[in-house]
Amino acid sequence: EDGLNGWLRYARLPCDIVKQANVPATIVALNATESSPVYTAGQELKKGIGGILGKTLDVTHETREGPSIVVGTINTFDGSSTIPELEEDGFWLSTQGDTVEIIGQNERGALYGAFEYLSMLAQANFTGVAYATNPSAAIRWVNQWDNMDGTIERGYAGLSIFFKDNVTISNTTRVEQYARLLASIRVNGIIINNVNANPIILSDDNMAGLGKIADAMRPWGVKLGISLNFASPQTFGGLASFDPLDETVIAWWNSTTDKLYEHVPDLAGFLVKANSEGQPGPITYNRTLSEGANMFARAAKPHGGIVMFRAFVYDYQTLNESNWKDDRANAAVDFFRELDGRFDDNVVVQVKYGPIDFQVREPTSPLFAHLRQTASAIELQVAQEYLGQQCHLVYLPPLWKTVLNFDLRVDGEKSVVGTDILSGKRFNKKGLTGYAAVVNVGQNTTWLGSHLAMSNLYAYGRIAWDPTDDEVAILEDWTRLTFGLDNTVRETITRMSMASWPAYENYTGNLGIQTLTDITGPHYGPNPQSMDNNPWGQWTRADADSIGMDRTVSNGTGYAGQYPADVAALYEDIETTPDELLLWFHHVPYTHVLKSGKTVIQHFYDAHYAGAETAATFPQQWAKLQGLMDQQRFEETAFRLTYQAGHAIVWRDSINQFYHNVSGIPDSQNRVGNHPWRIEAETMDLQGYRVTAVTPFEVASGLQIVQTIDNS
Ligand code: BDP
């Protein structure tokens, strides 16, 4: 199997299990229009039950006598059940009695219910259930970072399924397949182009192409949206300016938006990255970010569209690494705090989960506490940009949950990010809050570049629907759906996945120091020396004696003070700051003793060994699954896990050696710098190469490197 069907394989259950299933012989899909999600649901039920149970069912579109599987909306259903109140996209599922009822609040909900029923059948769960379920939030989107030329920014699975050579792709087969996967996890919207947007997406041809893409996804209830480049009126429209208060600019966006809606009448809306990392924005004209966002909001409003305006705004050119007070972590709140209440009501501010950038561990973004009159959505990242880029198994929900379960204590009241804030309940914004995840699937048949990485996409949808959903239960469902019902397979994948994020944190960056990766390059592999003096503001402040960013109010950058009082006090005080975020908030000597009783430096050493040891068990654990699944996915995964085990050692030794060199403090277990089996290149006989000292010295284990004689 090549992974193309993801968790929707509908593999035949064993005969003895099939016998236990009692499924009605007819499907009644209460909509005969082929592009409707209810029609799709009927077809999907037929396909799924055909696969899982080997039964061929008829699909009709009219209610009939006798047992059946009825799928439709609450408006079209005339069955006898009393259905609890359903919210937008919610559904009722009853498998009790002769008739299976799958009733959505809308068409999308009905389709979600059909997938839910199929998920139960595929997992051989034939129990009678009757319940209603509603989403925690209305916005459950994915963001693709696809470039118009067909490449994908931070994409690890080949070229785009949406674009090629600056135009939309005409064959929409993969688009439909992707929409099917998204619908099955209740994702209802997708932005298909990079936040670093190319205005050429607005060409006539591309608008027509967007229409086709939207048509391909509509039967699955997935709405299309696009990223916009703020400077488009000038760079694409030929106007003299892109000032958001200029009448000609406003008129240009209005007519461009109207045109877009002619092609895509149900366009979900826009995503905008402005004044960040070189992107243009309203600040270019001394206008506020809200004035910029509102310009798009007003163009989209008559069509029912929304604007997801990103809070990832920081000016990397003005960050000055020699000034202790400058701190990129402060940027989002500094920019947006004053603007709360000044955004139109169809603007949603999309906030990355932490204040920097998708690190292996970050504290919850404090901005969620400041957007009281403005709707907010969280931005997660399924693409593992800083987390091993799909070459490492890293199951992400435990990381996401550190943020979603965090209580920001706004005004001293319970304000849990997932259930209170993103649900819209805390600040009365229901209907316009939620979730976005950077996903970046590509043409590779595994979608993400790795079979196991798909558990993150699956889990994302489940968690956006219900942030209290248990990450282990989600993983077990995904495993059964993806690899079948074998207990060893499920237990092994669950054990490995649940150990994977802690292991990755252990062998990359601990105690809140961030992922110690190559900041200026691909964000892959160890490169702690790049974590200071870089223009991106991702700093560790490591020197020969001490490490960590002091972000206290009393002595540091003041970031801790961006949180509501209870949380601010927690992080201000080194005693109450949890070890796992110590170096995010405080600058301490390497000899500082943690709550665990270890020094910071010894914790670094030990954690890196522990993480690599865990990764070393992955290929061994996986090897035991041979024969319990198809050979292709077994081998492809074995290859990646073996690579990960090796790369974890590279991480371990690079980081440990680096801090050993910087601090000069020996490892109490005498491992760091002492690998009897390790052969340094500079100790070998060299031809055509020479050994030189390296600057800075701490980057090489022996303080020396090997260079070609001609210096190339
Ligand atoms: C960073 C990525 C960069 C993105 C940026 C963003 O490295 O490629 O453009 O975030 O989210 O993490 O805008």
Side-chain angles (χ1 to χ4, degrees):
E1 292 192 33
D2 59 11
L4 193 63
N5 287 317
W7 52 84
L8 298 178
R9 296 158 58 247
Y10 302 142
R12 179 72 43 86
L13 290 172
C15 289
D16 53 326
I17 297 184
V18 167
K19 279 188 208 134
Q20 298 162 26
N22 182 17
V23 169
T26 308
I27 298 164
V28 180
L30 295 170
N31 193 339
T33 308
E34 286 196 17
S35 60
S36 75
V38 165
Y39 182 92
T40 309
Q43 298 304 310
E44 192 69 16
L45 286 164
K46 181 179 168 71
K47 178 177 177 178
I49 292 167
I52 297 163
L53 302 175
K55 292 192 180 160
T56 310
L57 270 59
D58 291 334
V59 184
T60 74
H61 301 289
E62 315 259 301
T63 314
R64 45 154 84 179
E65 290 296 308
S68 59
I69 302 171
V70 180
V71 58
T73 62
I74 192 87
N75 295 334
T76 53
F77 177 66
D78 61 359
S80 55
S81 292
T82 314
I83 298 180
E85 193 169 333
L86 296 177
E87 294 170 21
E88 193 180 334
D89 293 355
F91 64 86
W92 159 259
L93 173 64
S94 169
T95 61
Q96 290 171 350
D98 291 346
T99 287
V100 173
E101 297 168 353
I102 305 173
I103 307 304
Q105 185 271 350
N106 55 13
E107 291 248 345
R108 206 181 279 127
L111 177 58
Y112 296 167
F115 277 118
E116 177 80 351
Y117 179 52
L118 288 169
S119 168
M120 286 178 67
L121 294 181
Q123 295 182 68
N125 177 355
F126 308 130
T127 46
V129 296
Y131 61 88
T133 176
N134 291 306
S136 76
I139 299 170
R140 302 177 309 279
W141 291 12
V142 296
N143 294 173
Q144 289 280 137
W145 283 356
D146 295 30
N147 296 314
M148 298 303 297
D149 67 2
T151 59
I152 302 179
E153 179 150 337
R154 317 294 179 189
Y156 313 111
L159 294 173
S160 172
I161 62 171
F162 295 102
F163 307 107
K164 190 183 174 196
D165 299 336
N166 288 331
V167 288
T168 52
I169 272 180
S170 52
N171 180 343
T172 54
T173 309
R174 287 296 296 265
V175 173
E176 282 162 46
Q177 291 167 340
Y178 188 23
R180 173 173 173 252
L181 285 170
L182 294 177
S184 76
I185 52 169
R186 307 174 196 172
V187 167
N188 58 5
I190 178 173
I191 300 286
I192 59 170
N193 62 319
N194 194 351
V195 283
N196 300 315
N198 183 338
I200 202 156
I201 193 159
L202 300 174
S203 74
D204 289 348
D205 283 354
N206 282 332
M207 282 202 196
L210 291 173
K212 282 198 192 143
I213 289 173
D215 291 346
M217 298 194 300
R218 192 168 295 113
W220 302 98
V222 180
K223 284 192 187 183
L224 172 73
I226 59 169
S227 297
L228 295 177
N229 183 302
F230 208 92
S232 306
Q234 187 181 70
T235 54
F236 186 71
L239 301 187
S241 141
F242 56 90
D243 178 351
L245 299 191
D246 180 311
E247 288 304 324
T248 57
V249 171
I250 294 170
W252 190 87
W253 277 118
N254 287 344
S255 72
T256 302
T257 304
D258 292 347
K259 219 159 128 190
L260 266 168
Y261 274 91
E262 278 167 28
H263 291 282
V264 187
D266 54 355
L267 190 82
F270 301 132
L271 175 64
V272 180
K273 172 178 179 178
N275 290 113
S276 176
E277 300 184 334
Q279 291 298 320
I283 296 173
T284 317
Y285 290 92
N286 278 328
R287 310 301 186 193
T288 63
L289 293 168
S290 50
E291 284 170 329
N294 293 343
M295 172 184 65
F296 299 112
R298 285 165 201 171
K301 178 91 176 175
H303 306 282
I306 63 173
V307 174
M308 306 291 287
F309 196 78
R310 293 179 92 222
F312 186 71
V313 175
Y314 75 104
D315 186 350
Y316 66 98
Q317 279 147 339
T318 64
L319 282 168
N320 173 4
E321 61 274 16
S322 63
N323 180 348
W324 272 95
K325 288 285 171 197
D326 263 347
D327 182 359
R328 172 177 158 191
N330 284 334
V333 170
D334 281 354
F335 275 114
F336 283 83
R337 177 172 21 206
E338 297 302 315
L339 300 176
D340 186 37
R342 287 162 63 186
F343 289 96
D344 282 10
D345 64 6
N346 59 333
V347 175
V348 182
V349 175
Q350 181 169 314
V351 186
K352 288 191 183 185
Y353 61 81
I356 293 277
D357 194 15
F358 303 136
Q359 298 301 293
V360 67
R361 188 185 289 269
E362 295 196 37
T364 302
S365 171
L367 185 55
F368 292 116
H370 294 274
L371 299 174
R372 297 166 178 231
Q373 298 174 62
T374 310
S376 60
I378 195 168
E379 184 173 306
L380 303 170
Q381 203 184 36
V382 167
Q384 297 166 226
E385 177 181 348
Y386 289 88
L387 289 132
Q389 305 190 349
Q390 269 79 333
C391 294
H392 290 229
L393 165 65
V394 183
Y395 181 58
L396 297 167
L399 160 62
W400 298 338
K401 291 258 178 157
T402 63
V403 173
L404 296 173
N405 291 342
F406 192 78
D407 185 352
L408 278 162
R409 309 285 313 156
V410 182
D411 296 336
E413 279 177 39
K414 184 166 109 19
S415 312
V416 174
V417 173
T419 47
D420 296 321
I421 295 181
L422 298 175
S423 65
K425 289 183 192 149
R426 181 71 176 81
F427 300 125
N428 201 16
K429 284 280 161 197
K430 213 160 163 46
L432 208 68
T433 51
Y435 295 75
V438 178
V439 174
N440 294 350
V441 305
Q443 285 181 17
N444 188 291
T445 61
T446 62
W447 295 98
L448 288 171
S450 140
H451 297 292
L452 294 187
M454 288 289 273
S455 61
N456 288 323
L457 179 54
Y458 177 83
Y460 165 66
R462 293 268 303 251
I463 287 173
W465 186 267
D466 177 5
T468 66
D469 208 345
D470 178 64
E471 60 268 37
V472 174
I474 295 172
L475 188 58
E476 291 183 334
D477 285 350
W478 174 80
T479 306
R480 279 186 289 253
L481 295 170
T482 304
F483 290 106
L485 304 185
D486 186 274
N487 284 336
T488 309
V489 172
R490 181 173 43 83
E491 282 159 14
T492 305
I493 291 180
T494 304
R495 200 169 46 238
M496 284 175 19
S497 301
M498 289 308 293
S500 62
W501 171 61
Y504 189 83
E505 181 180 33
N506 272 341
Y507 61 75
T508 59
N510 325 108
L511 305 175
I513 198 64
Q514 309 171 76
T515 313
L516 294 168
T517 190
D518 186 348
I519 283 305
T520 51
H523 303 171
Y524 187 73
N527 197 341
Q529 61 275 21
S530 73
M531 293 293 292
D532 278 288
N533 302 320
N534 67 61
W536 308 99
Q538 287 185 235
W539 306 323
T540 66
R541 299 298 186 199
D543 60 24
D545 308 309
S546 48
I547 185 166
M549 280 286 281
D550 187 336
R551 291 187 158 107
T552 61
V553 176
S554 51
N555 208 26
T557 70
Y559 167 81
Q562 291 190 339
Y563 288 95
D566 296 355
V567 180
L570 179 88
Y571 291 140
E572 183 72 15
D573 185 352
I574 199 164
E575 288 304 318
T576 51
T577 304
D579 279 353
E580 63 205 17
L581 283 171
L582 178 77
L583 302 180
W584 188 283
F585 286 102
H586 301 279
H587 184 79
V588 298
Y590 292 107
T591 50
H592 174 86
V593 178
L594 299 167
K595 296 182 181 62
S596 66
K598 278 186 191 175
T599 62
V600 164
I601 191 74
Q602 194 57 43
H603 178 95
F604 263 43
Y605 296 151
D606 292 349
H608 282 80
Y609 276 91
E613 262 165 43
T614 302
T617 69
F618 292 169
Q620 296 161 8
Q621 295 189 57
W622 189 259
K624 300 208 174 100
L625 305 187
Q626 180 144 31
L628 300 179
M629 66 178 66
D630 56 290
Q631 197 62 13
Q632 180 174 354
R633 290 186 302 167
F634 172 78
E635 280 173 13
E636 286 170 358
T637 304
F639 178 85
R640 295 218 162 214
L641 294 171
T642 306
Y643 170 83
Q644 177 174 8
H647 199 215
I649 295 175
V650 173
W651 267 102
R652 178 195 75 191
D653 290 352
S654 310
I655 303 293
N656 278 348
Q657 194 66 53
F658 178 80
Y659 289 105
H660 186 259
N661 289 348
V662 174
S663 70
I665 300 174
D667 166 24
S668 66
Q669 294 195 48
N670 201 23
R671 296 157 301 187
V672 180
N674 186 20
H675 293 293
W677 41 266
R678 178 173 161 142
I679 300 166
E680 299 294 338
E682 59 263 30
T683 63
M684 303 177 85
D685 283 341
L686 302 170
Q687 283 172 11
Y689 295 89
R690 69 165 171 232
V691 176
T692 43
V694 65
T695 314
F697 72 87
E698 64 269 16
V699 302
S701 51
L703 323 183
Q704 293 177 316
I705 53 163
V706 170
Q707 263 184 335
T708 48
I709 301 272
D710 67 4
N711 251 353
S712 62

